[in-house]
Amino acid sequence: QVQLVESGGGSVQSGGTLRLSCVASGYTYSKYCMAWFRQAAGKDREGVASIDHDGNTNYGDSVKGRFTISQDNAKNTFYLQMNDLKPEDTAMYYCAVDTSSSVCVTDSGGYSYTWAFRHWGQGTQVTVSS
C-alpha cells in the first residue's frame, strides 16, 4: 500500500524559506514520477514541481527560480525547498506519486496534471504573510 507523509509546512513572512518533506513507502521508490501540488482556498489544485526516476525536474512558471524539488533515495524521501516565498504561495501542499509512469508529464507551463496521480499525502499547510 502506497503511503506518503508530508511535513515541514508552517507560517513565514514574505521572502522567507521552508522545506517540505515527503516520506514514501509501499512501492519501489525513485522508479516513478513524484510531484508536489498545492491548493489555495477556492482554487484548483496545481502541480508546481515534479521529478522523475532519472532526476529530471519540472517547475510551474509561478515557482521557477524559487522552488527546488529533490530526492534522497536512501531515505525514500523527496523534498520541496521553497525560497523567496510570497503571499500567493499560501496553500495546502501535497506530495503525490504516479506509479503508472517513470517520466513526468507537464503542460506547457511546467505544471503537472492532477489526473495523472493516484497516490497522495494528507497535505501540509504553508502560510506566507506580507
Side-chain angles (χ1 to χ4, degrees), residues 8-108:
S11 297
V12 297
Q13 290 190 328
S14 184
T17 65
L18 284 172
R19 188 176 82 154
L20 307 182
S21 300
C22 180
V23 180
S25 62
Y27 68 100
T28 304
Y29 183 78
S30 82
K31 186 177 179 180
Y32 303 108
C33 174
M34 297 170 288
W36 286 96
F37 286 75
R38 67 185 183 186
Q39 187 166 20
K43 296 189 176 181
D44 293 335
R45 191 171 296 190
E46 63 176 5
V48 296
S50 61
I51 186 167
D52 70 14
H53 73 294
D54 281 335
N56 298 307
T57 58
N58 299 283
Y59 297 96
D61 287 340
S62 62
V63 306
K64 282 178 184 174
R66 300 187 298 121
F67 289 11
T68 303
I69 188 171
S70 62
Q71 57 186 339
D72 184 336
N73 293 343
K75 295 182 179 180
N76 283 12
T77 302
F78 61 107
Y79 305 94
L80 185 68
Q81 177 68 42
M82 304 185 293
N83 298 331
D84 189 24
L85 283 161
K86 304 177 180 181
E88 52 263 42
D89 295 317
T90 295
M92 185 72 78
Y93 283 72
Y94 300 89
C95 60
V97 61
D98 175 8
T99 55
S100 66
S101 177
S102 61
V103 296
C104 297
V105 178
T106 66
D107 65 16
S108 59

